[in-house]
Amino acid sequence: SGFSGQSEDTTGLDFLRGEVRSNADGLASFSSVYPGWYPGRAVHVHFKISVGDVVRVTSQFYLPDEISREVYQDETYLDRGEQDTPVDTDRFFLNAGDAKQSLMASVSPADSGYLAELRVVV
């Protein structure tokens, strides 16, 4: 998880980071645990999109508060408490202006959890 340019040394620490290559149609998918939250931020997932070796997009997508509240009722998350920042008050979401709704993932129940989908056009 450690990489250069961090504001703190993350060498040897584990985070849910990785790289996924798209298929010939530009579609990429990955499986993960449902993300946690931290004070002052809505539930979100960071991502970058590169074309070749050039990063074209660095952003984050958001997961609906109603889904997050449901997930956080699971015993795995109960010790963490309720998230303190809903999506519509997250400062980065608000700063996205007219584009903010395009950063909201569409989430639906799936066999083993949820399926989140986001379309990003580069």
Side-chain angles (χ1 to χ4, degrees), residues 10-118:
T10 59
T11 303
L13 298 178
D14 292 325
F15 296 97
L16 295 173
R17 292 185 179 150
E19 181 177 287
V20 178
R21 296 199 180 270
S22 66
N23 65 17
D25 295 324
L27 300 175
S29 65
F30 64 93
S31 296
S32 182
V33 298
Y34 200 87
W37 63 272
Y38 51 92
R41 292 301 317 277
V43 179
H44 63 281
V45 175
H46 293 266
F47 67 93
K48 289 185 180 192
I49 298 174
S50 299
V51 178
D53 291 335
V54 178
V55 175
R56 301 290 180 161
V57 176
T58 299
S59 191
Q60 53 201 310
F61 66 84
Y62 296 85
L63 299 166
D65 292 325
E66 59 273 10
I67 301 293
S68 295
R69 281 191 296 273
E70 184 176 309
V71 169
Y72 295 155
Q73 293 304 305
D74 183 272
E75 65 184 52
T76 306
Y77 295 92
L78 284 178
D79 289 344
R80 183 73 175 105
E82 287 187 43
Q83 74 181 78
D84 68 350
T85 306
V87 172
D88 64 356
T89 64
D90 182 277
R91 68 185 183 276
F92 294 100
F93 183 76
L94 293 172
N95 285 339
D98 293 340
K100 65 186 174 189
Q101 289 308 319
S102 66
L103 298 175
M104 180 64 68
S106 170
V107 178
S108 57
D111 291 338
S112 60
Y114 294 90
L115 174 66
E117 295 182 83
L118 183 75

Side-chain angles (χ1 to χ4, degrees), residues 1-11 15 17:
S1 290
F3 64 94
S4 62
Q6 288 282 101
S7 59
E8 62 185 86
D9 183 5
T10 59
T11 303
F15 296 97
R17 292 185 179 150

